[in-house]
Amino acid sequence: MVTISGVSVNTVLRSSASRCRIPIVGAICVLSFGLSNFAPPLLSSFIPRLSLSSSPSLLRPKELSRSIYSTTMAEAAVSNSVPSIVVYVTVPNKEAGKKLAESIVKERLAACVNRVPGVESVYEWKGEIQTDSEELLIIKTRESLLGALTEHVKANHEYDVPEVIAMPITGGNAQYLEWLKNSTRD
């Protein structure tokens, strides 16, 4: 346990959390992008009291997150990776997800497909609000394969209009990005 000026960090975090309730999406963003980017006023109340010997992981979060981000970006830039993306596709059930994921990897349209069960989607379709239990596919691939991947999904999907949404990968583990490049078609 880290104690700062006689007050445990857990107490400070607990009291801060009771004043500022962050929904689960916010918590995920905070974990992904660093607390210092989202709540500078919250941090300024207790970060200055931290000493270097107490806990390096809690020190200077902005500097630490910048350092991690810079290292990650530099690592990705040095690698021989290609522009890469993460693509989200929803499917109606486990069987459809398994079949589509395997065909995508077999065709080398992606290096990896994560299947996330238990996603509940709420959307409007033909003038009606729908709620469906679905499986989410998280697909990692080259940016240049998005067109071929989209056509493959459309040809092998049950939905009239399947979700295919792409986001750029702006950095990461250089070895993973190299593996992604080598595991997909040119």
Side-chain angles (χ1 to χ4, degrees), residues 119-137:
V119 173
E120 186 171 301
S121 297
V122 179
Y123 57 96
E124 183 180 337
W125 185 249
K126 296 183 180 178
E128 300 283 325
I129 300 298
Q130 307 288 323
T131 301
D132 288 318
S133 180
E134 295 182 301
E135 184 168 282
L136 174 65
L137 303 182

Side-chain angles (χ1 to χ4, degrees), residues 127-165:
E128 300 283 325
I129 300 298
Q130 307 288 323
T131 301
D132 288 318
S133 180
E134 295 182 301
E135 184 168 282
L136 174 65
L137 303 182
I138 303 173
I139 303 165
K140 279 79 73 181
T141 189
R142 295 172 182 232
E143 184 178 346
S144 62
L145 292 174
L146 179 59
L149 175 64
T150 301
E151 289 308 312
H152 181 85
V153 169
K154 288 166 67 176
N156 294 283
H157 204 290
E158 297 178 27
Y159 295 165
D160 294 337
V161 182
E163 172 185 354
V164 181
I165 298 172

Side-chain angles (χ1 to χ4, degrees), residues 9-20:
V9 171
N10 290 343
T11 304
V12 172
L13 291 174
R14 213 174 310 123
S15 67
S16 297
S18 66
R19 284 179 283 177
C20 179

